[in-house]
Amino acid sequence: MHLLRSFLFAVLLAVITVPYAVLAILIFWLPPMTRHRLITSWVPLMMWVVRHVLGIRYRVIGAENIPAGPAVILSKHQSAWETIALQQIFPPLCYVLKRELLRVPFFGWALGRIPGIAIDRAAGKDALSQVVEQGRKRLHEGLWVAVFPEGTRVAPGVVRRYKPGGAILAKRAGVPVVPVAHNAGEFWRRNAFVKRPGEITVSIGPLIEVKGVKAEEINRRAEEWIEGEMRRLFGHHYAGADTRAEAAARAPD
């Protein structure tokens, strides 16, 4: 049954995404925020499919911590689910993403028409400059910026080094950080075709203010809250896994 559901989801994903990609290409001439609103109308459609075809639901803890103004989201990254769902949970946002994703047929073409932050990860320090420069522009336009500080998807119970780019952007832009923990990887694992039904818990932490705080400390506080919350809510993934998590955190990117 899980295989059948997952196959149907893959078909619907293609059927829905291709027309949106064509739309995205055709409306290149519209203002950025108008393009963003039109293209991201794809999100509620896909979330409906995720819920009713895959049987994956979600609940949110800490929604009262979402501020009125723009912020930088620092989120745990376990699957593709959160790249869709965070757009439904939070105000209009964009992602820091790998530039090579823009070359993915249809999906990447549409992604390239949405105001975002596409970086060359091989550029080293220049990549950080790209995040800050483009991120400040997006925040000024009224978009939030979502960053996955571990840089890649990780399995449940695993921790990688938290990169400081999102914290540096928040500091230089003068906006708060919103930390996010979740367990999407339990039901939608990295690169897994078959997804399992269940309820994902998304926990939104208290704001981390940036005034008078160094970027390194902002990043440390975000990591401390996210990883603490992961262990509080999903401790079964961490029982006996600390050694593996520490090894992953020290592993090269």
Side-chain angles (χ1 to χ4, degrees):
M1 181 59 72
H2 297 343
L3 178 60
L4 180 60
R5 283 174 175 239
S6 300
F7 176 76
L8 180 57
F9 170 77
V11 172
L12 291 173
L13 175 63
V15 168
I16 295 172
T17 301
V18 170
Y20 268 91
V22 174
L23 171 67
I25 293 170
L26 294 176
I27 63 173
F28 70 92
W29 50 275
L30 290 174
M33 291 302 292
T34 302
R35 294 201 311 269
H36 185 281
R37 185 174 65 255
L38 290 173
I39 297 170
T40 56
S41 63
W42 173 90
V43 170
L45 289 176
M46 288 312 307
M47 289 301 292
W48 187 94
V49 173
V50 168
R51 178 180 178 87
H52 294 282
V53 175
L54 293 179
I56 297 177
R57 309 173 308 281
Y58 74 92
R59 68 185 182 105
V60 176
I61 301 172
E64 67 277 6
N65 292 323
I66 299 176
V72 172
I73 300 167
L74 296 186
S75 173
K76 195 72 178 175
H77 194 20
Q78 294 187 343
S79 75
W81 179 87
E82 58 268 21
T83 65
I84 306 171
L86 292 183
Q87 297 181 74
Q88 187 170 70
I89 296 170
F90 288 97
L93 58 79
C94 67
Y95 288 98
V96 175
L97 51 89
K98 299 178 292 185
R99 185 172 295 167
E100 51 264 37
L101 286 176
L102 303 183
R103 296 194 290 268
V104 177
F106 296 106
F107 178 78
W109 302 343
L111 202 59
R113 293 293 184 264
I114 302 175
I117 305 170
I119 64 168
D120 178 5
R121 294 204 302 180
K125 291 183 179 180
D126 287 341
L128 176 57
S129 298
Q130 293 168 28
V131 170
V132 173
E133 180 181 351
Q134 297 180 50
R136 292 178 70 173
K137 182 179 180 181
R138 299 296 171 245
L139 289 163
H140 180 73
E141 292 171 346
L143 288 173
W144 288 42
V145 176
V147 181
F148 300 119
E150 290 171 287
T152 189
R153 289 168 290 179
V154 297
V158 173
V159 185
R160 291 180 67 91
R161 181 177 67 88
Y162 276 50
K163 299 177 183 179
I168 293 172
L169 168 60
K171 176 65 179 178
R172 295 189 184 176
V175 300
V177 164
V178 179
V180 176
H182 63 82
N183 63 326
E186 287 191 35
F187 311 100
W188 185 325
R189 290 185 176 272
R190 175 180 181 177
N191 298 328
F193 179 80
V194 177
K195 287 83 172 171
R196 297 190 301 107
E199 183 177 75
I200 294 169
T201 298
V202 179
S203 183
I204 302 170
L207 287 184
I208 300 174
E209 298 292 350
V210 301
K211 186 176 181 180
V213 184
K214 292 183 178 180
E216 293 80 2
E217 176 63 13
I218 296 168
N219 195 52
R220 187 196 66 78
R221 292 181 186 181
E223 178 178 4
E224 184 178 77
W225 187 88
I226 293 170
E227 295 307 323
E229 188 72 349
M230 293 296 294
R231 284 167 171 76
R232 185 181 76 86
L233 294 174
F234 320 115
H236 56 288
H237 288 303
Y238 293 87
D242 285 342
T243 300
R244 296 196 305 273
E246 290 173 6
R250 292 194 296 268
D253 297 323

